[in-house]
Amino acid sequence: PWDNYQNDPPGPAPAPRITGDSVRVTFVNHATVLLQFDGLNVITDPVYYERVGPVQFMGIKRNRPPGIQFADLPKIDILLLSHNHWDHLDIETVQKLCQRDAPNVFCTLGVKAFLEEKGCRNVTELDWRQSAPANANTTIHCVPAQHFSGRGLLDRFGTLWAGFIIDS
């Protein structure tokens, strides 16, 4: 069984940008990681709400708060979404990032329409083994992963799941 809720204080705000040959990787929580390199800020599967599920008051409750406060996140340039499970595609957090930063969003097959319906723009949908440029120096590669997708009882395997390789 999980321990009781751990109310750890958040870490310090990350730098706005990392340039040169440096790379900074900041674990935020669960599958949320902030990657900073080449002047880019990339975030994976961001989840900032207390609960994940179809409705906030009934969803699965997180065991500890995010390691960085949302307000302390630097401007996000690239958002990577590996699949549509509630604990990886927290639509409220994604919408806040899309509204605040208008990042380039890379997602798996079948997820783009959902994101655009929720107000996200600059969405690139990728199949396994497909690649797309994020900018002149950075390419996102979509790679197979052993997992599955689904947000409800009847949509299992309805969209793709994947990992990403960032070539920069």
Side-chain angles (χ1 to χ4, degrees), residues 8-16 24-28 34 36 48 66-74:
D8 299 329
R24 181 175 176 170
V25 178
T26 305
F27 175 68
V28 178
L34 174 65
Q36 297 179 282
Y48 266 85
I68 300 171
Q69 293 180 1
F70 185 88
D72 288 342
L73 282 176

Side-chain angles (χ1 to χ4, degrees), residues 1-77:
W2 290 101
D3 291 336
N4 291 330
Y5 186 79
Q6 305 292 314
N7 196 12
D8 299 329
R17 299 269 171 206
I18 300 293
T19 58
D21 292 336
S22 296
V23 174
R24 181 175 176 170
V25 178
T26 305
F27 175 68
V28 178
N29 206 328
H30 191 57
T32 307
V33 177
L34 174 65
L35 307 166
Q36 297 179 282
F37 57 92
D38 292 343
L40 290 174
N41 294 320
V42 179
I43 197 163
T44 65
D45 295 345
V47 175
Y48 266 85
Y49 281 81
E50 182 180 22
R51 295 179 180 271
V52 294
V55 289
Q56 285 293 321
F57 66 90
M58 285 181 44
I60 298 169
K61 188 173 181 180
R62 67 184 320 134
N63 192 267
R64 61 186 54 210
I68 300 171
Q69 293 180 1
F70 185 88
D72 288 342
L73 282 176
K75 180 184 184 303
I76 300 300
D77 304 299

